[in-house]
Amino acid sequence: MSTPQLSVQPYKGTRDFYPEDMRLRNWFFGKIRQVLECASFDEYNGPMLESLDIYAAKSGVELASEQTYNFTDRGGRQLAIRPEMTPTVARMVAGRVNALSYPLRWFSIPNFYRYERPQRGRLREFWQVNADIFGCDSYEADFEIISVAIKLLRVFGADETMFKVHINNRRFFNDVIAAVTGKDAEGAKAVSKVVDRKGKVPREAYVKDMYTLGLDDEKIAKIDALYTMSIAEATALCPESRGSAELSELFAALAECGLDKYCVFDFGIIRGLDYYTGTVFEVFDEAPENNRAMFGGGRYDNLVGLFVHNTAISGVGFGFGDVTLENFLNIHGLVPASLLSYKVKLLITRFNDVSFTEYEKLSDELVLSGIPAMCYLGTKKFGKQIDYAVASGCTHIVIMGGSELESGMVKVKDLATREETEVARAELVNYFNAL
Ligand code: HAM
């Protein structure tokens, strides 16, 4: 009986990254890493596996119960493959809570798994840039994190016609719902949960849930009106709310710095994760075909305290996924034609009158001096070796037959200009370094 042929497809919702895919990913994450380091964020990372409890505590039912890949290990521990980074980073901050200096600026670019229905912009495995600031309670950190999010798109050449940051505030949201419905904090929370699902369920189901909570058509209409109000109109409905003040301060600072052209107030942004307490935001591509959020983030006041009780270190940050970013860059033509990062890459071609080890010695010298090089492996004719050099993205070939080996003078051919230059073998490193 023959062995059945195995599938070449990766697991549903995951991707193979062939070299050209890796080049693209390394290119955009490289630019992002550069901006974040330049903005004084330090990189960290954590484990792929975490105790399931850390998501159950605050991430919300959808993520913790329905989307997390979890299992029991051989020691009987309930584990999850990380679906997000925020609980991990809060745990890590808690682990050194007294040794760190605040405001702390950290970033990471890990991969996550979520059991979601794969669709455009959403997969089961994805990478996500996380940037967070811990230990600053004022709107200044919210401003800073939104300004960093905007920089991460501007660095690719994106402008305000291509994306918008949609901003709201959880505290304001709860307070304005209480103000227009006349409910107390508990009652307003129940209404907020229904309002959160407004865009995701049919209108009749939404209205029915509102009736169940005791709201009449007039109050439902008042809530509908919030979606088209300006910040000034909306915050005037609950002027005493700390959330109103935070929203107003944040938008005033964005306007003063000329960043308001990238931002809109959006009452529909609430965010599914339970831990957010203040400012919340999502970044959307203005192109309708990339309609899923590219970034999601906000302020969470109580996560670090889950790991060290009686500690109040607040955080604010965002997650920015690779899937929607790639769609964004392609739709707006922001990927350069060539992603090759090699200024110089050499193929040392082979001739029968020189031994394999002589070529290996030369490639060893070059590679250890930082010049990207390889010697051809095999016995194909010179023309075929050149074809291989071109297909492998080499910029030059080095020609060293028996006579060149003896004279110590090798030939270098530029594959773009076809020009050939004689260079002393001992000078090769200097020659390529000077290009
Ligand atoms: P999130 O809204 O769940 O937030 O995800 C943030 C971003 O990650 C999304 O806007 C999207 O770009 C990407 N993303 C999420 N799920 C998927 C998926 N299934 N496939 C592809 N991309 C996806 C969080 O994860 C928060 N922990 C972010 C955060 C950091 N908040 C504060 N700090």
Side-chain angles (χ1 to χ4, degrees):
M1 216 173 67
S2 65
T3 330
Q5 189 168 303
L6 299 175
S7 168
V8 295
Q9 294 304 319
Y11 167 62
K12 187 174 174 181
T14 68
R15 292 160 290 171
D16 291 323
F17 288 89
Y18 283 92
E20 63 277 19
D21 308 313
M22 279 311 293
R23 242 185 330 259
L24 178 62
R25 199 175 89 194
N26 286 339
W27 169 73
F28 61 62
F29 281 151
K31 279 177 96 74
I32 286 173
R33 182 173 269 114
Q34 233 172 16
V35 175
L36 288 169
E37 282 173 353
C38 208
S40 303
F41 283 74
D42 290 319
E43 187 163 0
Y44 70 94
N45 209 333
M48 191 77 196
L49 297 178
E50 286 278 9
S51 162
L52 182 60
D53 302 346
I54 78 167
Y55 306 107
K58 279 275 177 181
S59 295
V61 178
E62 191 186 23
L63 189 66
S65 313
E66 293 159 22
Q67 296 184 342
T68 298
Y69 283 81
N70 54 58
F71 62 96
T72 308
D73 77 358
R74 291 192 179 89
R77 299 170 196 88
Q78 279 282 299
L79 297 181
I81 303 179
R82 61 185 176 194
E84 60 153 334
M85 205 61 176
T86 315
T88 298
V89 70
R91 180 179 61 68
M92 288 172 64
V93 170
R96 292 194 178 174
V97 74
N98 294 322
L100 296 168
S101 49
Y102 303 97
L104 183 76
R105 303 156 78 98
W106 276 6
F107 84 96
S108 184
I109 313 184
N111 57 337
F112 301 111
Y113 276 81
R114 291 187 192 177
Y115 195 76
E116 285 203 56
R117 187 173 62 79
Q119 55 193 290
R120 186 163 166 84
R122 289 293 178 269
L123 295 175
R124 289 186 174 168
E125 186 193 34
F126 58 97
W127 272 252
Q128 196 196 57
V129 178
N130 276 254
D132 291 85
I133 298 176
F134 287 89
C136 171
D137 292 337
S138 95
Y139 80 94
E140 290 177 9
D142 307 22
F143 172 89
E144 177 83 359
I145 216 76
I146 288 172
S147 145
V148 166
I150 294 170
K151 286 194 220 348
L152 293 190
L153 290 172
R154 287 176 70 191
V155 72
F156 293 101
D159 63 29
E160 69 275 19
T161 63
M162 300 178 191
F163 71 91
K164 284 282 179 302
V165 188
H166 292 236
I167 303 172
N168 196 3
N169 183 297
R170 277 260 177 108
R171 271 187 270 274
F172 157 76
F173 180 84
N174 291 333
D175 291 345
V176 82
I177 291 287
V180 301
T181 60
K183 299 250 179 207
D184 62 9
E186 254 333 279
K189 211 167 159 187
V191 176
S192 301
K193 288 229 174 282
V194 177
V195 177
D196 186 14
R197 290 190 290 112
K198 183 170 182 276
K200 300 169 196 146
V201 296
R203 176 78 186 173
E204 309 84 71
Y206 168 73
V207 171
K208 191 165 160 241
D209 286 348
M210 290 299 228
Y211 287 159
T212 312
L213 292 172
L215 298 190
D216 57 20
D217 289 334
E218 194 194 331
K219 288 193 171 137
I220 295 172
K222 276 190 180 166
I223 292 175
D224 286 343
L226 287 164
Y227 289 80
T228 52
M229 282 184 190
S230 67
I231 293 201
E233 288 166 332
T235 53
L237 297 172
C238 52
E240 303 301 318
S241 161
R242 181 177 152 197
S244 293
E246 285 169 349
L247 258 185
S248 307
E249 280 173 321
L250 176 61
F251 269 88
L254 289 167
E256 270 176 48
C257 293
L259 295 177
D260 53 334
K261 64 182 177 193
Y262 300 104
C263 301
V264 287
F265 163 60
D266 183 345
F267 189 71
I269 300 296
I270 297 143
R271 309 273 301 131
L273 298 158
D274 280 355
Y275 46 69
Y276 294 114
T277 46
T279 298
V280 278
F281 65 94
E282 290 185 356
V283 180
F284 286 92
D285 189 342
E286 289 289 276
E289 61 268 43
N290 187 24
N291 62 356
R292 304 298 307 252
M294 295 200 282
F295 291 58
R299 171 170 285 282
Y300 45 95
D301 288 329
N302 312 321
L303 272 185
V304 176
L306 289 177
F307 302 94
V308 252
H309 286 159
N310 305 318
T311 305
I313 303 278
S314 63
V316 56
F318 60 74
F320 174 18
D322 66 328
V323 183
T324 39
L325 170 63
E326 200 176 312
N327 292 340
F328 178 80
L329 295 173
N330 282 323
I331 288 169
H332 296 285
L334 300 175
V335 179
S338 167
L339 289 174
L340 266 187
S341 52
Y342 289 113
K343 210 170 93 193
V344 163
K345 181 178 171 183
L346 312 181
L347 178 73
I348 306 165
T349 50
R350 297 263 301 274
F351 297 90
N352 291 338
D353 55 349
V354 175
S355 71
F356 169 62
T357 49
E358 279 301 334
Y359 289 115
E360 279 295 331
K361 280 186 221 162
L362 177 58
S363 86
D364 199 50
E365 278 165 37
L366 292 167
V367 170
L368 286 176
S369 305
I371 309 287
M374 61 178 161
C375 104
Y376 185 76
L377 299 177
T379 53
K380 291 232 166 87
K381 293 220 164 68
F382 186 63
K384 294 275 178 216
Q385 295 189 37
I386 298 211
D387 292 346
Y388 174 76
V390 171
S392 311
C394 292
T395 56
H396 297 77
I397 55 167
V398 176
I399 299 166
M400 183 176 75
S403 56
E404 285 89 3
L405 181 66
E406 213 167 286
S407 68
M409 294 297 287
V410 300
K411 292 193 187 91
V412 171
K413 183 168 177 153
D414 183 320
L415 290 174
T417 62
R418 307 255 144 205
E419 256 172 52
E420 222 172 79
T421 315
E422 262 204 328
V423 183
R425 176 179 171 162
E427 278 302 307
L428 268 181
V429 171
N430 290 339
Y431 175 81
F432 286 113
N433 274 335
L435 285 184

